[in-house]
DNA sequence: CTGCAGGCCCTTA
DNA sequence: TAAGGGCCTGCA
C-alpha cells in the first residue's frame, strides 16, 4: 500500500471525466483502475490518497499515468488571468481532473468505438471485449483472429469494420505505434486521420489521452454546445497553449455534471 | 413509434 | 470547403 497527499487530484472526477472507460467505483468505496494489463485500487479522503501498490510501482507506472509531474495549479492560474467567469467556474468545479497518459492502442480503438455512441454503451462494449482477455485490453496481435462479425457481435455496429481494419494495419505495420509516439501533435493527428474511422475528434482524443499532446482540444458535441452557447460559436483555445487539453476537460466535465439541466436528466 | 448518443464516410455543389 | 444523408445498436 502506498499513501500520499496529492493536490489537484480527485479520483472520482477523473473516473467521470470521460477520458477513460475502465475506471470504476466499487461498493466498498475503492476505485478500480484497469490499465497496462494491471488493476490498481485507489481510495481517497480529501487530499489523502491510498494506492494498492508498492511505492516503486507507483512512481514507475501510476505517477506518469495520473500526470503527477504536471503542476495543475499553473493551469488554474492561467485561467484566472483570462478573467473568463465560465472557465473559472469550470476549473473550480473539476479541480481534481488530470489528463491521463493511457495506452495508445487502447485509446485508438476505444475512441473509434466511442463515435456516435453513449458512454454507458461504450463502457459495456469495452468491458465485453476485455472480458475475453482476462480483463485486459487486448493487443492488436490478440485481435488478429477476430473477424468483422466477431466485432459486430460485441455490439460495435458499423464501427466493427473500422476496428477490424485498424487491427490489420497494426499487424502489418501500416499503423506504427512507435513512430506515432515520436511525432509532433500536428503530424500525429495527420497520421491518425489516414485510417478509416478516425476523424478530427478521435485523432485529438488519442493525441491528448495517450500521446499526452496537451495542446490538443478535442471538439465533440458537448464542447461544441459550450462554444455555441457561451462563446458565440468561437473559442480561442490556442491561447492556452499546452494547457488547452486540460481546459477542454474542465469545460467538458462542468458541462456534463456541473450544470443541472432542467429536463429529464436527474 | 420516433429520436438520438462524446463522428465519420461519402457524395455533391 | 462546406453541407447533408446514412449508419449499427440500445434506450427513452
Amino acid at each position: 500500500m502506498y499513501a500520499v497527499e496529492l493536490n489537484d487530484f480527485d479520483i472520482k472526477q477523473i473516473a467521470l471525466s470521460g477520458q477513460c472507460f475502465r475506471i470504476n467505483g466499487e461498493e466498498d468505496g475503492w476505485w478500480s483502475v484497469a490499465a497496462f494489463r494491471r488493476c490498481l485500487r485507489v481510495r481517497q479522503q480529501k487530499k489523502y490518497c491510498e494506492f494498492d501498490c508498492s511505492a516503486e510501482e507507483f512512481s514507475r507506472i501510476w505517477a506518469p499515468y495520473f500526470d503527477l509531474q504536471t503542476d495543475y495549479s499553473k493551469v488554474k492560474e492561467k485561467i484566472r488571468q483570462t478573467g473568463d467567469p465560465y472557465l473559472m467556474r469550470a476549473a473550480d468545479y473539476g479541480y481534481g481532473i488530470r489528463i491521463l497518459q493511457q495506452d495508445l492502442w487502447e485509446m485508438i480503438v476505444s475512441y473509434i468505438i466511442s463515435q456516435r455512441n453513449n458512454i454507458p454503451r461504450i463502457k459495456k462494449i469495452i468491458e465485453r471485449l476485455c472480458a475475453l482477455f482476462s480483463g485486459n485490453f487486448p493487443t492488436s496481435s490478440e485481435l488478429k483472429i477476430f473477424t468483422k462479425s466477431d466485432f459486430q457481435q460485441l455490439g460495435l455496429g458499423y464501427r466493427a469494420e473500422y476496428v477490424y481494419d485498424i487491427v490489420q494495419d497494426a499487424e502489418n505495420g501500416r499503423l506504427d505505434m512507435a513512430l506515432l509516439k515520436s511525432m509532433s501533435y500536428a503530424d500525429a493527428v495527420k497520421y491518425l486521420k489516414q485510417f478509416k474511422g478516425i476523424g478530427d475528434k478521435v485523432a485529438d482524443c488519442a493525441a491528448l489521452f495517450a500521446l499526452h499532446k496537451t495542446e490538443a482540444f478535442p471538439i465533440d458535441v458537448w464542447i461544441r454546445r459550450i462554444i455555441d452557447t457561451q462563446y458565440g460559436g468561437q473559442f480561442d483555445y490556442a491561447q492556452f497553449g499546452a494547457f488547452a487539453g486540460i481546459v477542454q476537460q474542465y469545460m467538458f466535465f462542468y458541462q456534463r455534471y456541473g450544470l443541472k439541466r432542467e429536463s429529464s436528466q436527474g
Side-chain angles (χ1 to χ4, degrees), chain A residues 3 15 21 62 70 75 84 129 143 158:
Chain A
F21 302 105
W62 302 111
T70 300
V75 188
D84 181 324
L129 180 61
L143 290 173
Y158 67 87

Side-chain angles (χ1 to χ4, degrees), chain A residues 133-151:
Chain A
F133 298 92
S134 320
N136 294 318
F137 195 93
T139 62
S140 61
S141 169
E142 287 172 322
L143 290 173
K144 69 183 170 193
I145 59 167
F146 274 50
T147 64
K148 288 181 194 179
S149 94
D150 288 334
F151 286 119

Side-chain angles (χ1 to χ4, degrees), chain A residues 102-151:
Chain A
Q102 303 179 77
D103 178 75
L104 178 58
W105 170 249
E106 177 174 342
M107 288 303 100
I108 291 172
V109 174
S110 296
Y111 279 96
I112 288 175
I113 293 172
S114 81
Q115 65 184 258
R116 190 85 177 138
N117 221 334
N118 56 56
I119 293 177
R121 204 158 86 87
I122 297 163
K123 291 182 78 164
K124 265 183 220 164
I125 291 170
I126 292 173
E127 197 173 310
R128 280 199 288 270
L129 180 61
C130 293
L132 300 174
F133 298 92
S134 320
N136 294 318
F137 195 93
T139 62
S140 61
S141 169
E142 287 172 322
L143 290 173
K144 69 183 170 193
I145 59 167
F146 274 50
T147 64
K148 288 181 194 179
S149 94
D150 288 334
F151 286 119

Side-chain angles (χ1 to χ4, degrees), chain A residues 213-256:
Chain A
K213 303 299 185 189
T214 54
E215 66 267 51
F217 188 89
I219 298 178
D220 55 35
V221 296
W222 294 90
I223 296 294
R224 182 79 258 164
R225 209 170 290 158
I226 298 168
I227 293 175
D228 288 343
T229 60
Q230 304 288 331
Y231 297 96
Q234 289 284 348
F235 179 75
D236 175 25
Y237 59 83
Q239 68 179 297
F240 296 104
F243 293 152
I246 302 172
V247 172
Q248 190 269 9
Q249 279 289 287
Y250 292 146
M251 293 167 74
F252 178 82
F253 187 76
Y254 184 53
Q255 182 73 15
R256 280 223 63 176

Side-chain angles (χ1 to χ4, degrees), chain A residues 30-155:
Chain A
W30 287 78
W31 294 84
S32 70
V33 179
F36 309 128
R37 303 180 92 77
R38 294 163 185 270
C39 183
L40 174 74
R41 279 160 57 83
V42 183
R43 187 167 64 175
Q44 178 170 19
Q45 286 276 7
K46 302 283 182 63
K47 289 186 179 183
Y48 183 74
C49 303
E50 293 172 277
F51 299 88
D52 188 19
C53 66
S54 68
E56 183 278 328
E57 178 179 328
F58 183 81
S59 64
R60 183 165 50 90
I61 298 189
W62 302 111
Y65 174 84
F66 286 116
D67 195 24
L68 296 187
Q69 73 281 10
T70 300
D71 182 358
Y72 280 61
S73 70
K74 291 185 176 161
V75 188
K76 295 166 185 177
E77 177 57 30
K78 173 80 179 171
I79 288 174
R80 263 193 300 277
Q81 283 170 11
T82 67
D84 181 324
Y86 179 85
L87 288 185
M88 287 191 282
R89 281 199 303 275
D92 193 45
Y93 186 79
Y95 64 91
I97 292 173
R98 321 285 301 195
I99 302 291
L100 301 177
Q101 297 195 57
Q102 303 179 77
D103 178 75
L104 178 58
W105 170 249
E106 177 174 342
M107 288 303 100
I108 291 172
V109 174
S110 296
Y111 279 96
I112 288 175
I113 293 172
S114 81
Q115 65 184 258
R116 190 85 177 138
N117 221 334
N118 56 56
I119 293 177
R121 204 158 86 87
I122 297 163
K123 291 182 78 164
K124 265 183 220 164
I125 291 170
I126 292 173
E127 197 173 310
R128 280 199 288 270
L129 180 61
C130 293
L132 300 174
F133 298 92
S134 320
N136 294 318
F137 195 93
T139 62
S140 61
S141 169
E142 287 172 322
L143 290 173
K144 69 183 170 193
I145 59 167
F146 274 50
T147 64
K148 288 181 194 179
S149 94
D150 288 334
F151 286 119
Q152 219 139 24
Q153 279 170 25
L154 287 168

